[in-house]
């Protein structure tokens, strides 16, 4: 659960390990935060939310921001205060954003201040509820209570909207943590196939944090005490990858194609030690996957949805004959095929669509 993750794992098990790294745009230098510092900032955020949102339990706190350290702090701080965290794609049109905001009815919107195309409309409609991402920075760290109902709405993420308007996917603490073995156990296969010690590594986080893959990574890497190296803009991808050694990365097809091009053209040094790729969100070209494996990369495929907390099936085989398989399923869930659709039932499955 979130309470133990902060008070036991971050503060007692891995306090000295680096939790986050990022490249500061103004100076080009790498900044770091340890898990002890991360936990203290989460305590600051939780205290600030509790004091500044009247009757905070169940109130929605929206994050509208690019990837940043504060995104992680606010994720855990908001829910530990009793609020419901809502993540949104800040680059959507105002028509899409305003519809989602109206649906969510936010008590507060934390924002990075960047104009992604509809800043004027956002300020006009919600100006009194806008706050900076580090609004809690001058707040003293407070005590935490283990008060999250494991079965209640804790986080809401919006779908990609491929079948019309985006839907608000309601996830509970139980949903999120029940899915964790599906993300962490396959790293035993990494160790088995490569002999690489996976006890300590860094993962480059380039996918947006409003995405379920990045959300689950905030939880999973904290559980294991691994480091997240942040990339907040793909135009800085190679700068960030070069500045921060990262062994692991979750990729979508467009990112994999860029990495593949470097490898096949003999520019692997640009990747600065990257060796494990977890692929998701769409179909991948089996030829690219096979070539990457032959070049010494460990390549795994994840098959899931926001509605399943990203859980579903994981293919960690490094054999060419299994490349097009969805892989192994989560043994804690039930599966069936129904007229060509893969259906799942189990603890990681969402509570439902918000107001739908």
């Amino acid at each position: 659960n979130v309470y133990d993750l902060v008070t036991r794992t971050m503060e007692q098990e891995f306090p000295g390990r680096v939790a986050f790294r990022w490249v500061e745009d103004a100076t080009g230098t790498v900044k770091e935060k340890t898990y002890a510092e991360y936990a203290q900032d989460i305590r600051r955020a939780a205290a600030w939310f509790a004091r500044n949102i009247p009757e905070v339990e169940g109130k929605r706190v929206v994050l509208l921001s690019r990837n940043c350290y504060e995104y992680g702090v606010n994720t855990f701080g908001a829910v530990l205060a009793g609020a419901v965290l809502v993540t949104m794609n800040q680059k959507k049109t105002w028509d899409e954003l305003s519809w989602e905001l109206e649906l969510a009815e936010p008590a507060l919107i934390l924002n990075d201040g960047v104009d992604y195309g509809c800043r004027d409309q956002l300020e006009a409609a919600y100006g009194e509820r806008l706050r900076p991402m580090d609004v809690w920075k001058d707040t003293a760290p407070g005590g935490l209570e283990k008060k999250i109902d494991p079965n209640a709405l804790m986080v809401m993420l919006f779908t990609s909207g491929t079948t019309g308007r985006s839907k608000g996917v309601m996830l509970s603490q139980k949903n999120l943590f029940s899915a964790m073995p599906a993300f962490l156990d396959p790293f035993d296969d990494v160790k088995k196939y490569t002999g690489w010690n996976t006890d300590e590594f860094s993962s480059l986080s380039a996918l947006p944090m409003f995405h379920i893959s990045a959300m689950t990574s905030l939880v999973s890497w904290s559980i294991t005490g691994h480091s997240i190296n942040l990339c907040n803009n793909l135009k800085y991808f190679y700068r960030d990858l070069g500045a921060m050694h990262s062994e692991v990365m979750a990729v979508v097809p467009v990112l994999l194609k860029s990495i593949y091009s470097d490898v096949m053209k003999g520019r692997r040094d640009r990747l600065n030690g990257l060796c494990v790729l977890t692929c998701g969100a769409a179909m991948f070209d089996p030829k690219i996957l096979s070539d990457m494996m032959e070049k010494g990369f460990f390549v795994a495929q994840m098959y899931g949805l926001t509605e399943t907390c990203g859980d579903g099936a994981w293919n960690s085989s490094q054999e060419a004959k299994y490349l097009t398989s969805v892989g192994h399923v989560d043994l804690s869930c039930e599966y069936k095929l129904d007229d060509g659709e893969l259906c799942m039932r189990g603890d990681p499955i969402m509570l439902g669509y918000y107001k739908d």
Side-chain angles (χ1 to χ4, degrees), residues 181-215:
F183 293 102
L184 296 173
D185 291 350
F187 275 82
D188 292 338
D189 290 334
V190 177
K191 187 179 293 187
K192 180 180 73 174
Y193 276 104
T194 67
W196 172 47
N197 181 4
T198 57
D199 292 340
E200 287 194 52
F201 61 77
S202 298
S203 175
L204 189 75
S205 182
L207 301 181
M209 287 185 169
F210 57 76
H211 191 279
I212 187 62
S213 176
M215 171 64 69

Side-chain angles (χ1 to χ4, degrees), residues 78-94:
V79 298
L80 283 167
V84 172
L85 180 79
V86 184
T87 65
M88 292 184 183
N89 181 352
Q90 75 278 12
K91 294 184 179 180
K92 285 189 174 182
T93 66
W94 180 242

